[in-house]
Amino acid sequence: MTWMPDAPLTPEPGAEPRREPLAGLVERVTFHNPDTGFSVLRVLVRGRREPVTVIGTVAAIQAGEQIQASGTWENHRDHGPQFKAAFLKATLPTTLAGIETYLGSGLIPGIGPVYAEKLVKAFGEQVFDLIESDPGRLKEIPGIGPVRARRIIAGWAEQKAVREIMLFLQSHGVSTARAVRIYKTYGADAIPLVTENPYRLAKDIRGIGFKSADQIARQLGIAPDSMLRARAGVTYALLEALHDGHCALPEDDLLGLAARLLELPREPLAEALAEEVAEGNVIRDTLGGRWCAFLPHLWRSERILAGRIRALGTGAPPWPAIDPAKALPWVEGTLGVTLAASQRAAVKQTLASKVMVITGGPGVGKTTLVNAILRILGAKGVEVALAAPTGRAAKRLSESTNLPAKTLHRLLEFDPAGGGFKRGPDHPLPADLVVVDEMSMVDVPMMASLLQAVPDRAAVLLVGDMDQLPSVGPGQVLADLIGSGTLPVTRLTEIFRQAAESRIIVNAHRINRGQMPEGDVPRDRPTDFYLVEADAPETAVARILEIVRHRIPARFGLDPVRDVQVLCPMNRGAVGARALNVALQEALNPGGPGQPAVERFGNTYRVGDKVMQIVNDYDKETFNGDIGRVAAVDLDAGEAAISFDGRLVPYAFGELDEIMLAYAASIHKSQGSEFPAVVIPVMTQHYAMLARNLLYTGVTRGRKLVVLVGQKKAVAIAVQGVKAQGRWSKLREWLIAGDAPHPGA
């Protein structure tokens, strides 16, 4: 193969692109995003007649600077050959022409093209040293007085600080994209803050975990057995427990976990824990008769939650007394339904209560019951606020009640600038009754925030299925509220006749009772539930692809991307969500010549891809679990647009770690959502995650069709498996004891 000076090297088909170096002078900065560092540059390279286009990430870049890069060439559909830099570093220019271009680029306030030319003529290659070490000489240039000189000096100092910070971070193994994020967070204090305690990065910077911070700490010379590392490790272990849903950990368990994570003996870790407790970074309290360590915000949230439940439960409801003997016949006639005895009893109890819980599985009449309550209270002029944890759940609640419903974040009016909610004790919700659906998804901090925003006079109605998986966030609020026995609870168990015709609902209840689902296909009528056997992972993957791509669309007329959701017990493994996402993307949206695509954080994204938001981004108003479609990929602007229910949200390429492909997702991530069709792989390789409430939650996500693919043995393991081990949470104890203080007491 012959290489021509003005043509990029093209690898053989199927070969990995060979990374090569590139150096040159920046002629023009076509695009630069200061928040992410994404840049499109025109660069003069020795041996090439025309400037080349270089795409990469760099914190600050100006025309006239020298760059060093390494990467690969690729052909853009519209713009031709481009150099895609995996590494990109900028240095101050050394030639007179480069220095003049750099100073005249507008980078430094007070210097434009005219003054750049004057400075270079007067001081030559020494101009940078002069600005820094002898700035008084700037006044030798006609037109530069004291005011302009001060602007130039300040602007130069700021640019120097940015460069020093980026050089420091990159020299310690921090990628450019992460370094930009660190600089944006800490500003000019980045070097002293990171040097003093690099472990703060794991808390403050999204995308940097404890292991990355630990690696930076070692490069900075912090000893593996230092007390700084031990204290950071103890807190990290507690955060790991939070990610598993716990609000606390027994001290012995915490020290054991920290010892394994840090490879340190328990003795210095016990000392580190004591210091964290002494400084208020960890709270020590009893739970279940054992001394436990709590993260302070979770300990306070549970106390607040218990106190608010007690305060709200006292007194009379905010509506006048209602006679059930008159209200029940009226609402049955209005809705055209006949309420079951359990539903009638629940209506009576709700009308007389200030805090009430309704729980039950699919097909037991929760929606009808809530509608009856809302219709009765609406006739009395009661002002109601409806909410659910996710956008999809709020939309379903609104459709089922014909009343407006919001996500909890929008109900409480999240304030991105302040980082909290506008609604709270000093600015409560304007409602007489607050109804929250899908309560199993609500975690401790969110519930505490909600109850603080509910006025003391108002009532609260909580609706959910306690047999589903608990919240992704910490705690098990619904289960603890019900288990405490301290507030009225209605448990609906009767499956109504129409619902009993659905094998999805029948099998969901069978699974919840510890019985195998009925997988045989009836001959006399269509069915909405199938069990497709596959003994090996490769067979399961092939059958899932066939079912999603061909069989469901052909048999049921459903769109394989929009309407079908693969839900997995776990993310890892050959039949996990990650591997299936790659296979499903290739099958459903493979891309083609000329179709723009962006590769970031281990994923490739194309127009049409189904994606899921995996962190709460309050600025974008997109939240963990939201599902959207990639609507556009703009390689020149370094930006993708994602449509969430018709709302276009821009993402800089450096922000794509906020999303993941969502052709397949974990069952945990599906909570609060319903899909027309659900396909669930159930294999023995998922053994660690197979549990009854996991399978039950997955099956109840399907509205029209559920297909289990895998081994009957694995289904039996899940059905017979006890529910996941309870979470360490003190809420139930405080509710039972009744000694949780009212907030502000």
Side-chain angles (χ1 to χ4, degrees), residues 665-714:
S666 70
I667 294 174
H668 284 84
K669 286 285 189 184
S670 73
Q671 289 175 264
S673 297
E674 279 188 357
F675 308 94
V678 164
V679 179
I680 306 174
V682 190
M683 307 292 293
T684 52
Q685 68 170 220
H686 299 144
Y687 180 82
M689 293 298 295
L690 293 179
R692 186 182 303 168
N693 61 346
L694 183 89
L695 184 58
Y696 172 75
T697 300
V699 168
T700 55
R701 299 308 88 199
R703 192 164 64 245
K704 297 179 180 178
L705 177 67
V706 170
V707 183
L708 304 186
V709 180
Q711 302 148 315
K712 286 186 176 180
K713 179 181 178 182

Side-chain angles (χ1 to χ4, degrees), residues 352-381:
S353 303
K354 281 199 69 192
V355 180
M356 173 78 179
V357 175
I358 296 172
T359 186
V364 296
K366 293 194 301 293
T367 299
T368 300
L369 173 56
V370 170
N371 272 331
I373 293 166
L374 293 178
R375 189 61 64 93
I376 292 170
L377 294 177
K380 297 295 183 181

Side-chain angles (χ1 to χ4, degrees), residues 77 90 94 135 232 257 279 296 326 337 445-446 493 520 532 543 561 606 677-678 686 698 715:
R77 178 183 59 184
T94 56
L257 176 59
E279 292 198 10
K326 296 179 180 178
V337 299
M446 177 56 75
T493 57
D520 296 334
V532 177
R543 289 184 177 167
V561 177
R606 308 181 183 102
V678 164
H686 299 144
V715 176

Side-chain angles (χ1 to χ4, degrees), residues 119-155:
L119 285 165
V120 171
K121 278 186 178 180
F123 304 119
E125 296 174 359
Q126 307 303 314
V127 64
F128 293 148
D129 293 335
L130 181 139
I131 294 174
E132 185 169 334
S133 59
D134 193 8
R137 293 191 61 190
L138 290 170
K139 298 174 187 175
E140 296 176 13
I141 305 299
I144 297 183
V147 175
R148 187 182 293 272
R150 283 196 298 270
R151 291 176 64 200
I152 293 171
I153 294 166

